[in-house]
C-alpha cells in the first residue's frame, strides 16, 4: 500500500463519515471465532515487523474492526486496542533507533507506518469519546447519572473498567508523547504535512478533555496535558492551542479549570509562558455583554482566570494591568472573578519576600478591594466578602489593613442584599477568630485592653520624665543635666514614627487621653537631647512604644466590634433564617472572646424560640438556639470539677434573669422548658441535670442573707423548668411555703410573686388538643396549707406597689389549684371590707369634700366627708380591695369556663358507655329538644350575664356601683393609684357582662379621652380588645375611639393600641371601615417597635383578600388630609404599593387618575403622581388606562414634581426587558402628550405670572381699588389664597 495512503484524504473521509475500505471484511454477524482468527493473523504479521501495517490487507482488516468498533464484544475490542498500541509502540521505538543512525533513506520509511498507526488510534479514540459523550448527554436529559442511564451490558463493562477504555487511552497518550518527542522535522519536512500528522495527537487530546467524566481521572488528564504541551512547545501549536482553548471556554462549562491546569503545566514544567500571556491579553480585551440571559460564557472565563491565578499567580500578576479593566465592565461575573484573582494574588505575594515593590503591590490590591465594597452588584460584594474571609486565614495578618477592612465589612451588615449580609457576618466572625491581638490570651475585653494601654503609657512617661541624675546613676555616667521642658508621650513617640512611616495611627480617644497629660511634671528634671536620643534607641523604649501602638490598635478593633453589635441585634430578628443562624454564631463567638456587649445580642436571641416551624429551616434555628445557650451557659468546663461545674451552671442560669424584661423571661421560659422536654423525650446531649436543679433549690432556700435577686432568679428558673417537668416544684412545696410565701416573700413581693408562678406549675401545662374536650388538672382541697399562706400573703399589710403583681399571681394560683377558689376569694374580699369600711367620726367635721390619698410611710391619713356620712378611708387599702375585686371577677369567668369544660369532659366519658345501648329514637329526640349539655351551657351564660354582677346574692354586685362612682368622680377620688385600680377593675367587670359593659362603655371612653395617666389609657385599650372578643357589636360600633389612640402622645399607649388593633383586624373580630390611614402613619413612627409592628400588620393583611388594595383609596384620602410631610408620605406609599398584587395595578391606575379631578392643591397632585409612579406599568393595558385618564391631570403636569413622576413612568416602561414591541407606540403617544401638556402648562404659568406682575404695577398706581379688583380674580392652576396674597402685596 506504500504511496497509496493519503492522510489528509482519510481524515476528511472520517469527518464526513464516508469511509470507504476497498478490502473491508464483514464484522457484523460474523462468528466470533472467525474474528478471533483474523485478529491473531494480524498480530502475527505485525509482530514480525510493525511496519507491516502498510500492507493494504492488514490495514483494511484493522480499519474494518475500527469501523464497527461499537458493536464488537469487549474481548474483541480490547484485542484491537492491544494490536494498535503494541504496534505503535514498536514503530516508535524502531523510528527512534533509525533517527539516531541519521540515515535518511532508512528513517523516511517510517513515515507511512507512523501516519497509519496515528490515524487508527485517532479514529478509535474519536469513536469511544463520541459514544461516551452521547451517553453523558442522554443521562443529563433523563435526569440520571452514571450507571442509572446505561444498559445492562454497559453496566457490566463499567464494573470491569473497560467500557470507558481509560487504561487504553492513558497508554495511547503516553505513546503519543513518546512519538512527539522524536525529531519529526526530519521525517516531515513540509510544514503542512507535519501539522497534519501532529493533529492526529492534539485533536484526540482536546476531544478527551471535552468529556467531563475524563476530567475526573487525574492520570489520564495529566497525560493529555503532556501531549498538548509538547505540541505547543516543540511543534508550533501555539496559535491552534490558543484558538481551541478560547473556544472550549465558550462551549464547555467544565473546561475552565482543565485549561488553566494545562497552562500551568506548560509554564512550570515546560518553561513556556507565551501562550498563557497571549490568552490573558485576549481575555482582557474581550467584552462581555450580560444583557443576554446566557451567562455561561463570562462564568467560564471567570472560572478560568480564578483557577489560573491559583496555579500560576506569577503569570497572572504580570497581566493584571490589563485584566483589572474588567472591574469597570458591565459583567458582574467578570468583576467577581477579578476580585477573587486579586485575593489569590495577595495570598501569593504574602508568601514572597517583602520588598518595597511587593508591599506596594499588596497595598494597591487592597485599595482595589476596598473600592469594590461599593460595587453596585450584590454578587460582587458577596464575593468580595468571601475573599476577605479567605485573606483572614493567611499567615500574614496585615494589621495596617485589617482595621479598615473590618470597618467596611461592618458597613456591609446593612447591605440590602441578604447574601451580602450573611457573608458579611461570616467574614466578621473570621476577622474576630483570626485577630492578631493574642498577646494576653486573645480575649477582647475592652477594660483589660484599656488597663494595659494605660499601664504602658504610664511606663513610657516615667521613662521620659525620670530625672537625669537617676538615669546617669543607673548607667554609671558622671554628667548631669538640669535643662528640660515638659515632654509628652507624643514627643517621645515621634522619632519612632519617623523611622517607621507605615506605623498604624493612634485612636482618637487614645490621643486625647495622652494629650491630657500635658503640663504635668514641670518640676521633674528631664533628659538632655543626647540622653533623649539614647533613650529612644534603647531596646526597652522601642519595645514599650510598640506595645503602646499594639494596645491602641487592639482597642480600636474592639470598639469596631462594639459598633457592629446593634446592627447584629437587628439581624437577629431577620426573616431570613440562614442570616439569623449566622448572627447567632457571631454572638457566640464574641462571647467566647469575652466581648462585654455580647450579652445584648444573646438576650435578644432567646426570642427566636418562638419562630414558626415552617420546615427544617425554622427547626434548625431553634436547634441552633439551644446549642448556643448550651455552649454559653450550660456546657460543663473541662478544667473544673463536677461540683464546681454544677455551681457554675446554676450561677449562669440565675444570671439570665438579672435585668430581664417580661418578654425576655417569657421567651427564656419557653427555651428552658423546651430543653427539658427534649431531654426527657430524646435523652439528648443538651440537658439540665438534676444536680443543677438541686443547686438552684439550695440557692432559693439559703438560710443566710443573700441578694434578693439571686433568690428570685433561682425560683424563676425553677418555675421555668417545672413547666415541662412539674415534679420539680411538686416535690418542694414545703420549701416554697417556707421561703416564698413566708417571711422572705412578705419582705420581697417579687420573690412571692415568682413563687406563686412556680406553684402554678403543679397543675401541669394545659394543652389544647383537637377532639379533646377539657383536661383533668390537679386540684387541691381548700384546707391545703398553700391557700392559707396565699391568703395571709394577700392580707399582709404593705405599701409597696409590687403588691399588685404579687396579688395577681396569688389569686391566679388560688383559682388554678383550688377546688372552690370562689369561697376563699370571697372570704378575702369580706375581710378586706371589714377592715376598710370600719366607720369612725372624722377628725375635722368642717370638711365637706372626700379626698382619698395613698399612705406614704407614717403620713397621717386625710379625713374626708360626704354630705350624708363622714368616714375616713385608706385610699391605698381601697385600691388593693378594688384590684382584688376586679381580678376575682375576671378569674371567676375563667373558672366557670373550666367548670363547663369539666362537665363536658365527664359527660363525654359517661356518654360513651351509654351510647352503645342508645337507639336512633333517642338520638333524634336529643337533636329536637336539646341535651343536658346545652342546658348547662345556657345556665352558665345566664350566670355570667345576670348573676355575677346583678344577682342579689352575688358579692361582686356590691362593688359595681362603687367602682363606677370612683371612676366617674376623679375630683374627689383624686389618688392616682386608686383611679388606676378602679379603672382596671371596671374594665375587668365590663368583660363579664354585656349589660354592664353597655351601661358603662361611654364612661370608659371618657376616661380614655381625658385621663392623663398613660398606664390607665393602656389598660383601657387592652381591655377594649378583650371586650371586642366578648361583645363584638358594642366595640365595633365605637372602634373609632381605639383608632384615635394611634396618635396618642405616649409611645406605650400607641404601641398597645397598634397591637390590639392588629390582633382584632387580622383575626376578623372588627371590620376595617376606612381607618387604616392612621395605622399607615405608624409605618414612619420614630419608635422602631411601632414602625416594625405596623409593617408586620400590613404584610399579614395583604393575605386577607386584597385588603390593602381595597382600602388604598381610603388610606390615600386620610393621608392627604393628615398633617404629614411629603418624605414620610412617600415612604408609606412605597411600602404599601409593594404589597399590592400586580393583577390589581391596572384598576389602581384608573382610580388614581380619577382622584386628580377632586384635588386642587399642588401637594395633592404631587402625592397622586408619586403613587402612579409606584405602579409597575409592565403591560400595554396599564398605559392605556393612563392615557384614558390623561384629561384628568393634563392641566397639572406643569408642576415640576408631577411631570418628573410621570416621566419616570415612561422610563420604567422603556426599561422593561426584554422589550415589548406592542408597548412602544402607546408609550411614545403618552410621552408626546405629556410633553405637549407640559409646554402648554408652562406657557400658561408664564402668562399668569406676567398678568400678576402687571396687576401689581397697577396696584401701586391705583392703590386700594386695583387691589380689590385683583382679589376677585381667579387664575386657573393657581390657588385662590396665593392670588389673594399676591394682590395684598
Amino acid at each position: 500500500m506504500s504511496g497509496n495512503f493519503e492522510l489528509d484524504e482519510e481524515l476528511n473521509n472520517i469527518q464526513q463519515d464516508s469511509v470507504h475500505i476497498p478490502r473491508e471484511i464483514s464484522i457484523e454477524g460474523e462468528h466470533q471465532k472467525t474474528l478471533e482468527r483474523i485478529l491473531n493473523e494480524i498480530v502475527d504479521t505485525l509482530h514480525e515487523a510493525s511496519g507491516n501495517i502498510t500492507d493494504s490487507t492488514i490495514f483494511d482488516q484493522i480499519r474494518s474492526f475500527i469501523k464497527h468498533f461499537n458493536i464488537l464484544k469487549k474481548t474483541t475490542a480490547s484485542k484491537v486496542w492491544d494490536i494498535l498500541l503494541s504496534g505503535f509502540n514498536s514503530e516508535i521505538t524502531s523510528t527512534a533507533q533509525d533517527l539516531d543512525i541519521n540515515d535518511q533513506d532508512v528513517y523516511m520509511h517510517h513515515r507511512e507506518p507512523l501516519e497509519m498507526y496515528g490515524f487508527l488510534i485517532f479514529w478509535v479514540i474519536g469513536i469511544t469519546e463520541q459514544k461516551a459523550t452521547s451517553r453523558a448527554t442522554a443521562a443529563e436529559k433523563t435526569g440520571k447519572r452514571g450507571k442509572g442511564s446505561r444498559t445492562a451490558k454497559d453496566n457490566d463493562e463499567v464494573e470491569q473498567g473497560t467500557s470507558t477504555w481509560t487504561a487504553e487511552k492513558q497508554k495511547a497518550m503516553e505513546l503519543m508523547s513518546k512519538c512527539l518527542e522524536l525529531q519529526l522535522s526530519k521525517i516531515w519536512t513540509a510544514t503542512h504535512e507535519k501539522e497534519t500528522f501532529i493533529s492526529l495527537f492534539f485533536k484526540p487530546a482536546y476531544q478527551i478533555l471535552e468529556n467531563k467524566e475524563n476530567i475526573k481521572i487525574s492520570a489520564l488528564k495529566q497525560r493529555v496535558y503532556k501531549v498538548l504541551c509538547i505540541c505547543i512547545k516543540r511543534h508550533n501549536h501555539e496559535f491552534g492551542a490558543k484558538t481551541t482553548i478560547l473556544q472550549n471556554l465558550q462551549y464547555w462549562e467544565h473546561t475552565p479549570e482543565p485549561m488553566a491546569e494545562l497552562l500551568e503545566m506548560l509554564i512550570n514544567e515546560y518553561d513556556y509562558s507565551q501562550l498563557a500571556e497571549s490568552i490573558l491579553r485576549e481575555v482582557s480585551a474581550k467584552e462581555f455583554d450580560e444583557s443576554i440571559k446566557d451567562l455561561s460564557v463570562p462564568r467560564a472565563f471567570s472560572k478560568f482566570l480564578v483557577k489560573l491565578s491559583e496555579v500560576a499567580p506569577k503569570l497572572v500578576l504580570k497581566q493584571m494591568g490589563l485584566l483589572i479593566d474588567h472591574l469597570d465592565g458591565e459583567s458582574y461575573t467578570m468583576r467577581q472573578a477579578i476580585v477573587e484573582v486579586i485575593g489569590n494574588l495577595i495570598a501569593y505575594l504574602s508568601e514572597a519576600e517583602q520588598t518595597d515593590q511587593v508591599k506596594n503591590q499588596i497595598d494597591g490590591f487592597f485599595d482595589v478591594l476596598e473600592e469594590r465594597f461599593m460595587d453596585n452588584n450584590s454578587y460582587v460584594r458577596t464575593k468580595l466578602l468571601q475573599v476577605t474571609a479567605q485573606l483572614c486565614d493567611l499567615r500574614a495578618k496585615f494589621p495596617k489593613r485589617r482595621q479598615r477592612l473590618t470597618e467596611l465589612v461592618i458597613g456591609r451588615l446593612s447591605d440590602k442584599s441578604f447574601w451580602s449580609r450573611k457573608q458579611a457576618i461570616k467574614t466578621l466572625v473570621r476577622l474576630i477568630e483570626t485577630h492578631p491581638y493574642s498577646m494576653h490570651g486573645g480575649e477582647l475585653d475592652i477594660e483589660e485592653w484599656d488597663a494595659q494601654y494605660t499601664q504602658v503609657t504610664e511606663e513610657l512617661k516615667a521613662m521620659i520624665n525620670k530625672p537625669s541624675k537617676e538615669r546617669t546613676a543607673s548607667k554609671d555616667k558622671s554628667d548631669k543635666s538640669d535643662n528640660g521642658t515638659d515632654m509628652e508621650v507624643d514627643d517621645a513617640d515621634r522619632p519612632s514614627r519617623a523611622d517607621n512611616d507605615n506605623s498604624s495611627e493612634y485612636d482618637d480617644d487614645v490621643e486625647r487621653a495622652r494629650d491630657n497629660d500635658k503640663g504635668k511634671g514641670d518640676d521633674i528634671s528631664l533628659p538632655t537631647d543626647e540622653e533623649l536620643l539614647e533613650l529612644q534607641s534603647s531596646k526597652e523604649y522601642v519595645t514599650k512604644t510598640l506595645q503602646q501602638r499594639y494596645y491602641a490598635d487592639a482597642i480600636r478593633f474592639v470598639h469596631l466590634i462594639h459598633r457592629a453589635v446593634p446592627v447584629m441585634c437587628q439581624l437577629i430578628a431577620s426573616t431570613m433564617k440562614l442570616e439569623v443562624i449566622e448572627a447567632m454564631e457571631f454572638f457566640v463567638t464574641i462571647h467566647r472572646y469575652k466581648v462585654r456587649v455580647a450579652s445584648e445580642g444573646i438576650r435578644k436571641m432567646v426570642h427566636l424560640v418562638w419562630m414558626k416551624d415552617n420546615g427544617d429551616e425554622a427547626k434548625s434555628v431553634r436547634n441552633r438556639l439551644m446549642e448556643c445557650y448550651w455552649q454559653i451557659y450550660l456546657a460543663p468546663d473541662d478544667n473544673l470539677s463536677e461540683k464546681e461545674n454544677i455551681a457554675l451552671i446554676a450561677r449562669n442560669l440565675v444570671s439570665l434573669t438579672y435585668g430581664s424584661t417580661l418578654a425576655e423571661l417569657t421567651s427564656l421560659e419557653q427555651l428552658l422548658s423546651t430543653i427539658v422536654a427534649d431531654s426527657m423525650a430524646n435523652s439528648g446531649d443538651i440537658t439540665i441535670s438534676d444536680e443543677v436543679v438541686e443547686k438552684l433549690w439550695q440557692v432559693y432556700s439559703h438560710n443566710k442573707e443573700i441578694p434578693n435577686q439571686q433568690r428570685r432568679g433561682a425560683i424563676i428558673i425553677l418555675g421555668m423548668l417545672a413547666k415541662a417537668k412539674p415534679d420539680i416544684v411538686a416535690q418542694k412545696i414545703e420549701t416554697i411555703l417556707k421561703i416564698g410565701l413566708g417571711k422572705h416573700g412578705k419582705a420581697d413581693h417579687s420573690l412571692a410573686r415568682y413563687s406563686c408562678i412556680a406553684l402554678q406549675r403543679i397543675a401541669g401545662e394545659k394543652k389544647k388538643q383537637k377532639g379533646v374536650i377539657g383536661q383533668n388538672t390537679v386540684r387541691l382541697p381548700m384546707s391545703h396549707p398553700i391557700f392559707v399562706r396565699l391568703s395571709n400573703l394577700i392580707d399582709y399589710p404593705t405599701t409597696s406597689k409590687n403588691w399588685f403583681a404579687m396579688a395577681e399571681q396569688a389569686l391566679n394560683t388560688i383559682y388554678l389549684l383550688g377546688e372552690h377558689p370562689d369561697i376563699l376569694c370571697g372570704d378575702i374580699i369580706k375581710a378586706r371590707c371589714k377592715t376598710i369600711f370600719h366607720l369612725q367620726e372624722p377628725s375635722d367635721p368642717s370638711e365637706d369634700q372626700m379626698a382619698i390619698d395613698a399612705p406614704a410611710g407614717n403620713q397621717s391619713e386625710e379625713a374626708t366627708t360626704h354630705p350624708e356620712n363622714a368616714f375616713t378611708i385608706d385610699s391605698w387599702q381601697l385600691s388593693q380591695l378594688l384590684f382584688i375585686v376586679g381580678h376575682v371577677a375576671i378569674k371567676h369567668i375563667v373558672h366557670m369556663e373550666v367548670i363547663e369544660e369539666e362537665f363536658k369532659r365527664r359527660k363525654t366519658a359517661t356518654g360513651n358507655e351509654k351510647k352503645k345501648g342508645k337507639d336512633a329514637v333517642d338520638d333524634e329526640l336529643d337533636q329536637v329538644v336539646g341535651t343536658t349539655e346545652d342546658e348547662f351551657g345556657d345556665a352558665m351564660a345566664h350566670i355570667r350575664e345576670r348573676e355575677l354582677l346583678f344577682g342579689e346574692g352575688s358579692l361582686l354586685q356590691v362593688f359595681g356601683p362603687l367602682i363606677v362612682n370612683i371612676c366617674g368622680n376623679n375630683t374627689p377620688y383624686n389618688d392616682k393609684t386608686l383611679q388606676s385600680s378602679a379603672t382596671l377593675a371596671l374594665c375587668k367587670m365590663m368583660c363579664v357582662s354585656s349589660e354592664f359593659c353597655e351601661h358603662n362603655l361611654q364612661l370608659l371612653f371618657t376616661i380614655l379621652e381625658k385621663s392623663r395617666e398613660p398606664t390607665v389609657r393602656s389598660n383601657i385599650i387592652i381591655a377594649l380588645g378583650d371586650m371586642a372578643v366578648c361583645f363584638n357589636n358594642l366595640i365595633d360600633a365605637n372602634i373609632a375611639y381605639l383608632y384615635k389612640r394611634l396618635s396618642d402622645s405616649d409611645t406605650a399607649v400607641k404601641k398597645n393600641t397598634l397591637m390590639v388593633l392588629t390582633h382584632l383586624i387580622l383575626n376578623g373580630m372588627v371590620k376595617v371601615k376606612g381607618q387604616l390611614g392612621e395605622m399607615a402613619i405608624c409605618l414612619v413612627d420614630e419608635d422602631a417597635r411601632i414602625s416594625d409592628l405596623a409593617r408586620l400588620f400590613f404584610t399579614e393583611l395583604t393575605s386577607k383578600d386584597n385588603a390593602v388594595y381595597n382600602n388604598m383609596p381610603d388610606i390615600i384620602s386620610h393621608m392627604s388630609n393628615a398633617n404629614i410631610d411629603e418624605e414620610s408620605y412617600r415612604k408609606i406609599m412605597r411600602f404599601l404599593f409593594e404589597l399590592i398584587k400586580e393583577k390589581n395595578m391596572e384598576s389602581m391606575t384608573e382610580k388614581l387618575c380619577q382622584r386628580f379631578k377632586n384635588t386642587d392643591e399642588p401637594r395633592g397632585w404631587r402625592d397622586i403622581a408619586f403613587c402612579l409612579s409606584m405602579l409597575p406599568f409592565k403591560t400595554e393595558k396599564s398605559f392605556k388606562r393612563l392615557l384614558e385618564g390623561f384629561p384628568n391631570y393634563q392641566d397639572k403636569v406643569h408642576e415640576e414634581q408631577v411631570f418628573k413622576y410621570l416621566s419616570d413612568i415612561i422610563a420604567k416602561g422603556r426599561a422593561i426587558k426584554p422589550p415589548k414591541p406592542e408597548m412602544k407606540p402607546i408609550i411614545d403617544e403618552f410621552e408626546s402628550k405629556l410633553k405637549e401638556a407640559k409646554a402648554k402648562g408652562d406657557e400658561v404659568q408664564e402668562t399668569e405670572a406676567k398678568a400678576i406682575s402687571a396687576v401689581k404695577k397697577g396696584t401701586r398706581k391705583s392703590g386700594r381699588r386695583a387691589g380689590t379688583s385683583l382679589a376677585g380674580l381667579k387664575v386657573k392652576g393657581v390657588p385662590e389664597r396665593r392670588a389673594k396674597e399676591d394682590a395684598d402685596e
Side-chain angles (χ1 to χ4, degrees), residues 1082-1180:
C1082 293
L1083 289 167
V1084 291
D1085 195 274
E1086 295 178 355
D1087 192 310
R1089 296 174 301 173
I1090 295 176
S1091 59
D1092 291 343
L1093 184 59
R1095 284 175 174 271
L1096 178 63
F1097 165 74
F1098 280 105
T1099 303
E1100 293 294 327
L1101 188 64
T1102 307
S1103 60
K1104 302 284 184 181
D1105 299 327
N1106 296 329
V1108 176
Y1109 166 74
N1110 294 334
N1111 288 277
M1112 185 61 77
D1114 294 328
I1115 293 175
I1116 294 176
S1117 297
H1118 182 87
M1119 300 278 288
S1120 300
N1121 298 327
N1123 186 18
I1124 182 172
D1125 61 275
E1126 288 193 59
E1127 184 60 32
S1128 298
Y1129 180 91
R1130 294 191 195 105
K1131 287 181 180 179
I1132 294 170
M1133 288 303 165
R1134 190 176 288 112
F1135 175 79
L1136 293 178
F1137 273 99
E1138 289 175 356
L1139 302 177
I1140 298 178
K1141 296 178 181 178
E1142 195 167 321
K1143 65 180 182 180
N1144 298 322
M1145 292 299 184
E1146 293 174 3
S1147 57
M1148 179 59 70
T1149 304
E1150 184 177 358
K1151 291 179 180 179
L1152 288 172
C1153 290
Q1154 291 174 356
R1155 294 186 71 86
F1156 275 109
K1157 292 190 298 184
N1158 304 321
T1159 308
D1160 296 327
E1161 295 293 328
R1163 164 68 193 275
W1165 306 342
R1166 294 194 295 271
D1167 289 345
I1168 297 172
F1170 175 79
C1171 293
L1172 280 171
S1173 69
M1174 289 293 99
L1175 301 176
F1177 290 98
K1178 293 181 178 180
T1179 63
E1180 181 184 6

Side-chain angles (χ1 to χ4, degrees), residues 771-775 900-916 933:
V772 177
I773 302 177
Q775 289 179 309
E900 188 174 357
E901 284 186 4
E902 180 64 15
F903 174 80
K904 292 179 180 178
R905 187 186 68 80
R906 293 182 182 182
K907 181 84 166 47
T908 303
T910 56
N912 290 335
E913 297 177 0
K914 297 180 179 179
K915 193 172 183 180
K916 298 178 181 178
E933 185 177 317

